[in-house]
Amino acid sequence: MNWYENLYVGKNAKKKAASYIRKIEDGNYPLQIYLITFTAGDHDQIEIISPRNLKFWYHQKKNPMIAGIALGREEALEVLQQMVQDIMCETGGLDFRQFFLSETGQTDIV
């Protein structure tokens, strides 16, 4: 899996984040956990998904970068909001891909 080095973690997920990540890596998908990942398409830049979606062929083939993890959908939206604020402050825009590419030094995040 391709985890962002400075992973955004929701406040409720923070205590057990390492455990959640380990479980996801092992193919066990904790209930109520949501991931913020990058999409393969050109138009949508990010999406909030259940870790169970990672087992679908298009996620396995693309191996998208996981930029955030949260406990519950509402917290996932809060994490996404924090990401938007950070990117806006840093770049003055909302180009998620360009921001994370420059942060990681990778050539592609999906």
Side-chain angles (χ1 to χ4, degrees):
M1 300 221 168
N2 186 13
W3 297 90
Y4 176 51
E5 186 176 319
N6 299 316
L7 186 70
Y8 283 83
V9 181
K11 62 183 180 223
N12 295 323
K14 193 166 272 201
K15 284 184 187 177
K16 295 185 177 180
S19 172
Y20 294 141
I21 291 169
R22 233 181 351 268
K23 287 179 181 180
I24 292 167
E25 290 277 342
D26 292 340
N28 300 317
Y29 307 112
L31 295 175
Q32 297 300 318
I33 290 296
Y34 286 86
L35 303 174
I36 300 169
T37 68
F38 292 88
T39 62
D42 292 333
H43 301 293
D44 297 325
Q45 292 192 13
I46 59 170
E47 61 184 340
I48 297 173
I49 64 168
S50 165
R52 292 179 291 281
N53 289 9
L54 295 175
K55 64 183 173 183
F56 293 122
W57 67 270
Y58 48 87
H59 285 292
Q60 289 179 350
K61 184 177 180 181
K62 293 293 184 178
N63 192 25
M65 178 186 289
I66 300 169
I69 186 169
L71 184 60
R73 183 109 173 127
E74 187 174 320
E75 184 171 274
L77 292 171
E78 292 171 6
V79 171
L80 179 58
Q81 182 179 12
Q82 183 62 51
M83 291 171 66
V84 167
Q85 289 175 346
D86 290 351
I87 293 168
M88 287 287 291
C89 287
E90 184 76 25
T91 67
L94 277 178
D95 191 343
F96 285 87
R97 288 180 189 272
Q98 190 57 43
F99 175 79
F100 284 97
L101 286 173
S102 66
E103 284 280 307
T104 62
Q106 296 179 354
T107 57
D108 198 5
I109 52 179
V110 178

